Amino acid sequence: MSESTITELRTPPKLADGTLRVVPLGGLGEIGRNMAVFEINSKLLIVDCGVLFPEEHQPGVDLILPDFSYIEDRLDDIVGVVLTHGHEDHIGAVPYLLRMRQDIPLIGSRLTLALVEAKLTEHRIKPYTLTVSEGQIEQFGPFECEFVAVNHSIPDALAVFIRTAAGNVLHTGDFKMDQLPLDGRLTDLRAFARLGEEGVDLFMSDSTNADVPGFTTAEKEIGPVLERLFGQVQKRIIVASFSSHIHRVQQVLDAAAAHGRHVAFVGRSMVRNMAIAEKLGYLNVPPGIIVDLKNVEDFPDDRIVLMSTGSQGEPMAALSRMANGDHRIQVGKGDTVILASSLIPGNENAVFRIINGLLKLGAEVIHKGTAKVHVSGHAAAGELLYCYNILKPKNAMPVHGETRHLIANGNLARQTGVADENVLLADDGSVVDLVDGKARIVGQVECGFVYVDGSSIGEITDSDLKDRRILGEEGFISVITVVNRSTGKIVSGPEIHARGFAEDDAVFDNIKPQITAALEEAVVGTKEHTTYQLQQVVRRVVGTWVNKRHRRRPMIVPVVLEA
């Protein structure tokens, strides 16, 4: 591992004149929450502002945001937010950033900005935007940005080449090198070569598939598989995918049209995004093929395809509700469900629960493990090697991936000649300075998770989540006791109530005398006792008994009142 890997928290030095500082606030060590802040001459440029979706050990959390504390006192210094593409892990946190300053310019492609604007409408925010396309060059304060076409699992993705007085940075966003893209829009390797000739001082590249050998399969290979499956199925077909995967939806529409089926979009985000894509010309919809969900019962089962959200097991998404039997679409015997997406790390159990639920209902479930119904949107190792060899960067800083992905990407950089000390394996919050062609990690800033829970933002802590996990897994016990202040005798109680621990509170009859004895001993033995100290006595007695007798560690809430 590189000596430039951050190992401890340390305050970065004051930024020197003519030095470019790069601070990733998300996307390093995780799949999601992508955000990087660039600073030079007292001005900030942000690339991407996405969300991370919660895992099972974060109950009740809706979204996880980047930690904006690093920039919250510098909002007026932000010259713009460049959005590389329209996936939630790159644009989902934009509304929360614009709540802090609504006129921060948003820069992105036509589709990307359309998806962002639709999201911001729900938050009642009207943004200031600048639409850019490949080949375009724009100046934002001390940053000159050139935009480069890249291929991804959503149309209109862009890499950004950032020129500054301190050096040049190429940030790929998410990308792959599909040589037969559905929309004919290739990753512009000629532009990469030209930028390599100019000089890339720091290369920040997508790492998601860096540990996958070879090359990512072309999206076009899915079409024939879908057509074959559609020709075999006799009843309804339900296809689940990301609501922004326009290329995948296009192939579903094409396969449906080839077999005389109508398509209904299921899920609010799916309906919204496909309407935007069709309006802008990114989705080619055969005439008459789309039907409203409420009218699907008017068609025979062998003439319907449902294009649904929920491929990652999200509890409130359409597919999860179908698997649980609480959706208007009742899945049954003979239906076929196709999961046309990858498994985001951390979502495996939720997805497998859905698969099991659908199978119990009698449906056949097809996923990428059983048929080629999904290909990745990210460059594999072979494609990344091509990029390193074309660009010949002086420094490499892998981004967008878990730790294993970042390390694999760093190894690819070394194999192509990037010096070991110039490969930076950074963390969220690492502070990287680029000066005189050298990039170094010079410190670390606080960069925690910011949880969105309903209408609260940042109020839920890791300690709160721990309490929720205990409540969900171990249960809850409350103990209410009234003690006579003068005599030290128990006046009332202890009353014990439990939830999620035992069906009958009578299981606690044996522990009540022990609680009484321990409290009376504490009151008599310690004249200057506090209510808190007495509550701790109760907690220790109950906790020890529960652990020994039941091998459980529930949340214990003792209440001691003095009369």
Side-chain angles (χ1 to χ4, degrees):
M1 188 171 286
S2 166
E3 65 182 14
S4 297
T5 303
I6 196 74
T7 55
E8 60 183 19
L9 183 70
R10 62 182 188 272
T11 303
K14 182 180 177 181
L15 183 58
D17 291 341
T19 298
L20 176 66
R21 176 159 289 177
V22 185
V23 182
L25 297 182
L28 276 67
E30 60 209 359
I31 304 292
R33 212 169 61 122
N34 297 293
M35 182 175 180
V37 179
F38 298 81
E39 178 179 0
I40 192 170
N41 299 339
S42 301
K43 294 297 181 183
L44 306 178
L45 177 73
I46 296 172
V47 173
D48 288 329
C49 187
V51 295
L52 178 67
F53 293 102
E55 299 182 19
E56 287 186 326
H57 66 275
Q58 296 158 329
V61 174
D62 300 318
L63 297 170
I64 304 170
L65 306 179
D67 189 343
F68 296 141
S69 57
Y70 175 69
I71 58 172
E72 64 184 356
D73 296 329
R74 306 273 313 275
L75 296 174
D76 290 337
D77 296 332
I78 301 173
V79 296
V81 178
V82 172
L83 301 171
T84 59
H85 64 282
H87 281 152
E88 286 293 304
D89 58 336
H90 291 257
I91 67 170
V94 169
Y96 302 94
L97 177 62
L98 293 197
R99 285 183 186 184
M100 302 167 70
R101 180 191 151 198
Q102 288 204 10
D103 64 343
I104 298 175
L106 304 180
I107 303 107
S109 66
R110 195 164 63 116
L111 178 62
T112 301
L113 292 181
L115 294 173
V116 172
E117 287 167 352
K119 180 178 296 294
L120 289 171
T121 298
E122 298 177 0
H123 290 259
R124 296 185 176 87
I125 297 174
K126 186 169 179 58
Y128 172 72
T129 62
L130 174 65
T131 303
V132 295
S133 57
E134 52 263 34
Q136 193 166 333
I137 299 175
E138 297 288 345
Q139 190 78 34
F140 307 105
F143 305 93
E144 182 182 275
C145 295
E146 179 175 345
F147 300 93
V148 182
V150 292
N151 181 257
H152 187 38
S153 55
I154 186 172
D156 248 8
L158 294 168
V160 57
F161 188 65
I162 305 170
R163 297 181 178 93
T164 73
N168 302 329
V169 179
L170 178 59
H171 192 303
T172 66
D174 286 354
F175 85 110
K176 61 178 177 177
M177 289 163 54
D178 191 336
Q179 298 303 299
L180 299 169
L182 289 185
D183 58 5
R185 189 172 177 273
L186 296 161
T187 293
D188 193 347
L189 295 182
R190 292 188 298 174
F192 274 33
R194 173 173 52 80
L195 298 175
E197 290 295 324
E198 181 178 336
V200 177
D201 296 293
L202 179 61
F203 184 39
M204 300 172 66
S205 64
D206 179 6
S207 304
T208 311
N209 272 355
D211 59 348
V212 177
F215 294 78
T216 300
T217 306
E219 177 73 25
K220 271 190 174 179
E221 294 196 19
I222 288 179
V225 178
L226 290 176
E227 286 211 23
R228 177 176 55 80
L229 291 172
F230 279 29
Q232 295 172 350
V233 177
Q234 300 300 314
K235 292 189 71 175
R236 288 182 304 183
I237 298 172
I238 302 166
V239 183
S241 185
F242 294 114
S243 63
S244 55
H245 203 330
I246 296 166
H247 294 321
R248 192 64 44 80
V249 174
Q250 183 68 66
Q251 301 205 83
V252 170
L253 292 177
D254 294 342
H259 291 278
R261 288 179 179 259
H262 294 279
V263 177
F265 294 131
V266 187
R268 189 167 59 92
S269 59
M270 181 70 74
V271 172
R272 180 193 66 199
N273 290 348
M274 292 311 117
I276 292 171
E278 182 183 9
K279 180 180 178 182
L280 296 180
Y282 293 98
L283 186 69
N284 179 27
V285 180
I289 196 172
I290 301 297
V291 297
D292 195 286
L293 180 62
K294 63 177 180 286
N295 297 327
V296 295
E297 300 299 333
D298 298 339
F299 299 88
D301 286 352
D302 63 352
R303 288 290 174 262
I304 281 293
V305 176
L306 301 169
M307 189 71 224
S308 173
T309 58
S311 62
Q312 295 303 307
E314 305 95 313
M316 296 308 294
L319 192 65
S320 295
R321 291 164 56 206
M322 290 180 204
N324 293 331
D326 60 358
H327 193 276
R328 65 185 300 170
I329 301 298
Q330 296 294 309
V331 177
K333 188 173 179 59
D335 290 336
T336 297
V337 180
I338 301 173
L339 296 176
S341 65
S342 61
L343 273 179
I344 294 177
N347 294 346
E348 294 91 345
N349 290 338
V351 173
F352 292 142
R353 270 200 301 271
I354 287 182
I355 292 174
N356 290 328
L358 293 168
L359 291 171
K360 284 181 179 179
L361 293 173
E364 180 181 0
V365 180
I366 297 170
H367 52 82
K368 73 171 192 173
T370 57
K372 189 179 288 185
V373 292
H374 174 73
V375 298
S376 177
H378 303 271
E383 293 152 88
L384 292 173
L385 288 171
Y386 262 89
C387 290
Y388 280 115
N389 286 327
I390 290 170
L391 294 166
K392 293 296 181 186
K394 294 179 182 176
N395 303 272
M397 177 179 165
V399 294
H400 301 176
E402 296 181 346
T403 301
R404 59 195 172 98
H405 304 131
L406 304 180
I407 291 173
N409 197 348
N411 288 335
L412 296 176
R414 294 186 187 91
Q415 290 174 36
T416 57
V418 180
D420 184 66
E421 64 271 17
N422 295 341
V423 176
L424 284 71
L425 298 179
D427 300 316
D428 290 342
S430 293
V431 179
V432 176
D433 281 358
L434 174 66
V435 60
D436 296 330
K438 293 184 179 180
R440 294 291 180 269
I441 296 176
V442 298
Q444 182 90 359
V445 297
E446 291 285 354
C447 188
F449 281 5
V450 177
Y451 300 109
V452 177
D453 182 3
S455 59
S456 72
I457 302 170
E459 297 175 16
I460 302 298
T461 65
D462 287 327
S463 177
D464 295 324
L465 293 182
K466 181 180 179 183
D467 288 346
R468 290 181 181 182
R469 289 194 296 273
I470 292 173
L471 284 170
E473 297 168 5
E474 303 288 349
F476 168 89
I477 298 173
S478 67
V479 185
I480 304 173
T481 314
V482 181
V483 179
N484 186 298
R485 188 191 305 271
S486 303
T487 65
K489 297 296 182 181
I490 302 299
V491 177
S492 175
E495 290 183 19
I496 303 179
H497 303 280
R499 290 291 183 273
F501 180 80
E503 293 183 10
D504 188 353
D505 288 345
V507 299
F508 299 107
D509 289 346
N510 293 335
I511 190 61
K512 289 180 180 180
Q514 297 179 41
I515 297 173
T516 299
L519 274 176
E520 290 180 347
E521 180 182 344
V523 172
V524 173
T526 311
K527 292 183 179 181
E528 297 300 323
H529 63 265
T530 65
T531 301
Y532 174 77
Q533 288 171 329
L534 296 181
Q535 289 174 169
Q536 292 300 95
V537 169
V538 175
R539 178 177 281 113
R540 281 194 296 271
V541 172
V542 175
T544 301
W545 178 82
V546 168
N547 191 23
K548 286 183 178 179
R549 184 67 62 86
H550 296 277
R551 294 290 186 266
R552 299 276 291 277
R553 300 178 66 88
M555 179 176 288
I556 301 170
V557 180
V559 178
V560 177
L561 304 174
E562 291 189 288

